[in-house]
Amino acid sequence: MLEFKQLTYFKEVAKHKSVTKAAEEIHISQPALSKSIKSLEEELGTPLIIRSNKTTDLTDAGKTVLEYTREITNLVDEMKLTVSDLTNLSVGQLNIGLPPFIGSLFFPEVMKKFHHNYPNIKLDITEYGGARVVKSVEEGEFELGVAVLPLDERVFNVYPIVKEKMKLVVHKNHPLVSQNEVHVKDLRDEEFIFYHEDFALNQIIRNHFFHVAGFEPKILFKSMQWDLMSELVAANLGVTILPESICNRLFTKDIKIIDLEPTIMWKLAVITKKGKYISNAGRKFIDFILTDSL
């Protein structure tokens, strides 16, 4: 008989693309996990994974089972949340996806205040790049996430929390340093310290700034850390574009911060998937962050 535990184990193997890594993550032995997956395959009458020495890929049947498994586990999680809310409104657990840029800027103080107000609600925070946060909220891995707008509001409920300008950051000896404002067309020949593809800002700035001006930026380095990006600029290795609140934290004398034309806005929002049940803990967090000043 097919068991729910088998599906959750299979989901972990698919996530990590490795029986060994999945076994370590869920704290069971590799032989026990392999036996569970084999039993599931026998129950369904078809192989679900392609086994090799380096990685574990899914068969076509495995990909179909994974989609159903996600739906089933999401429904079970939703059931648990609903029952928990009905029986005990003072406790709960909230899974949040948070991009590293955003987390380091705004959320330590927010989390501190929220925990003070709701000490029995556990916050389980995972740091992903913005694009992955959005995907994970859509797939049900996180109940809510923090993401960069714009997003498809047919898929997500969007609760805006931050809106600020993006700024150009250059070395103090850069030819543009004397200007108070720089137009995008003047950046055509610059070498950029840019965002990793996991960050929503990678595509947002490309599509709504560079491509509109008719060119593809020359990217020298990509990073997931704003402090490294600014340090590379300070070392005169290129220019970058950062949110104003991050620029306000840059204390090196080797850089200059300049306004951009046209203006690029950095807009952040808490997001949840439309049609998905939001727990009492989730609703409390959304209400709290919308009323608390970031």
Side-chain angles (χ1 to χ4, degrees):
M1 180 183 295
L2 192 149
E3 299 179 0
F4 179 69
K5 181 168 67 175
Q6 291 175 307
L7 295 177
T8 59
Y9 286 175
F10 171 69
K11 184 180 176 182
E12 286 298 318
V13 172
K15 176 181 177 181
H16 294 283
K17 293 188 175 183
S18 165
V19 174
T20 302
K21 291 180 180 178
E24 292 174 355
E25 182 69 22
I26 57 181
H27 306 295
I28 68 169
S29 69
Q30 183 176 334
L33 179 55
S34 296
K35 182 179 179 180
S36 175
I37 300 300
K38 187 65 176 176
S39 176
L40 177 62
E41 290 177 321
E42 291 173 354
E43 179 73 24
L44 295 174
T46 185
L48 302 179
I49 62 176
I50 304 168
R51 295 162 176 85
S52 68
N53 292 331
K54 293 184 178 181
T55 186
T56 300
D57 293 319
L58 299 184
T59 63
D60 289 342
K63 293 174 183 177
T64 298
V65 171
L66 179 60
E67 290 303 312
Y68 278 103
T69 297
R70 284 172 174 160
E71 292 182 20
I72 292 168
T73 53
N74 286 344
L75 283 172
V76 171
D77 290 343
E78 188 171 306
M79 176 189 69
K80 291 178 180 178
L81 286 172
T82 305
V83 172
S84 175
D85 285 352
L86 289 172
T87 57
N88 193 343
L89 296 179
S90 63
V91 300
Q93 177 170 326
L94 185 58
N95 296 320
I96 304 174
L98 197 61
F101 264 48
I102 298 168
S104 62
L105 279 173
F106 304 114
F107 277 80
E109 190 64 24
V110 170
M111 299 305 180
K112 175 183 175 182
K113 291 179 182 178
F114 184 80
H115 179 66
H116 177 78
N117 288 351
Y118 303 101
N120 294 320
I121 295 179
K122 179 185 175 184
L123 298 178
D124 187 354
I125 300 169
T126 303
E127 286 192 321
Y128 285 160
R132 188 173 175 188
V133 167
V134 172
K135 186 174 186 293
S136 296
V137 170
E138 184 175 7
E139 292 180 349
E141 181 180 354
F142 304 135
E143 183 175 350
L144 61 84
V146 178
V148 180
L149 300 179
L151 289 175
D152 188 347
E153 296 192 25
R154 296 170 298 179
V155 178
F156 301 101
N157 297 306
V158 174
Y159 307 93
I161 53 174
V162 171
K163 182 178 180 181
E164 64 182 47
K165 293 180 179 180
M166 303 288 292
K167 302 279 189 174
L168 178 68
V169 184
V170 303
H171 188 265
K172 65 179 181 179
N173 295 328
H174 194 281
L176 294 173
V177 76
S178 61
Q179 300 188 34
N180 293 321
E181 183 177 87
V182 172
H183 197 280
V184 60
K185 69 177 186 296
D186 297 325
L187 301 175
R188 183 182 298 272
D189 297 324
E190 296 296 332
E191 292 185 320
F192 278 86
I193 315 299
F194 209 59
Y195 300 91
H196 189 273
E197 286 86 351
D198 282 348
F199 282 72
L201 280 173
N202 180 294
Q203 288 301 312
I204 290 172
I205 296 177
R206 280 175 182 265
N207 294 338
H208 299 281
F209 194 63
F210 296 123
H211 292 177
V212 171
F215 69 93
E216 183 69 27
K218 299 175 182 178
I219 297 174
L220 189 62
F221 296 108
K222 294 178 185 176
S223 176
M224 300 180 72
Q225 303 293 331
W226 62 264
D227 51 349
L228 175 59
M229 294 171 73
S230 63
E231 287 167 9
L232 290 173
V233 174
N236 204 16
L237 291 173
V239 304
T240 193
I241 296 174
L242 293 171
E244 187 171 15
S245 55
I246 290 178
C247 291
N248 292 338
R249 294 188 174 201
L250 304 181
F251 301 113
T252 174
K253 296 179 181 179
D254 293 327
I255 62 170
K256 171 74 182 294
I257 298 166
I258 306 172
D259 288 339
L260 286 166
E261 175 60 34
T263 300
I264 314 173
M265 298 305 297
W266 191 49
K267 295 182 283 188
L268 304 180
V270 174
I271 62 169
T272 62
K273 185 178 180 181
K274 281 193 171 177
K276 181 177 174 62
Y277 178 79
I278 302 301
S279 68
N280 180 59
R283 293 192 298 271
K284 286 183 181 298
F285 185 82
I286 291 169
D287 290 342
F288 179 84
I289 201 169
L290 290 178
T291 55
D292 189 76
S293 176
L294 287 183

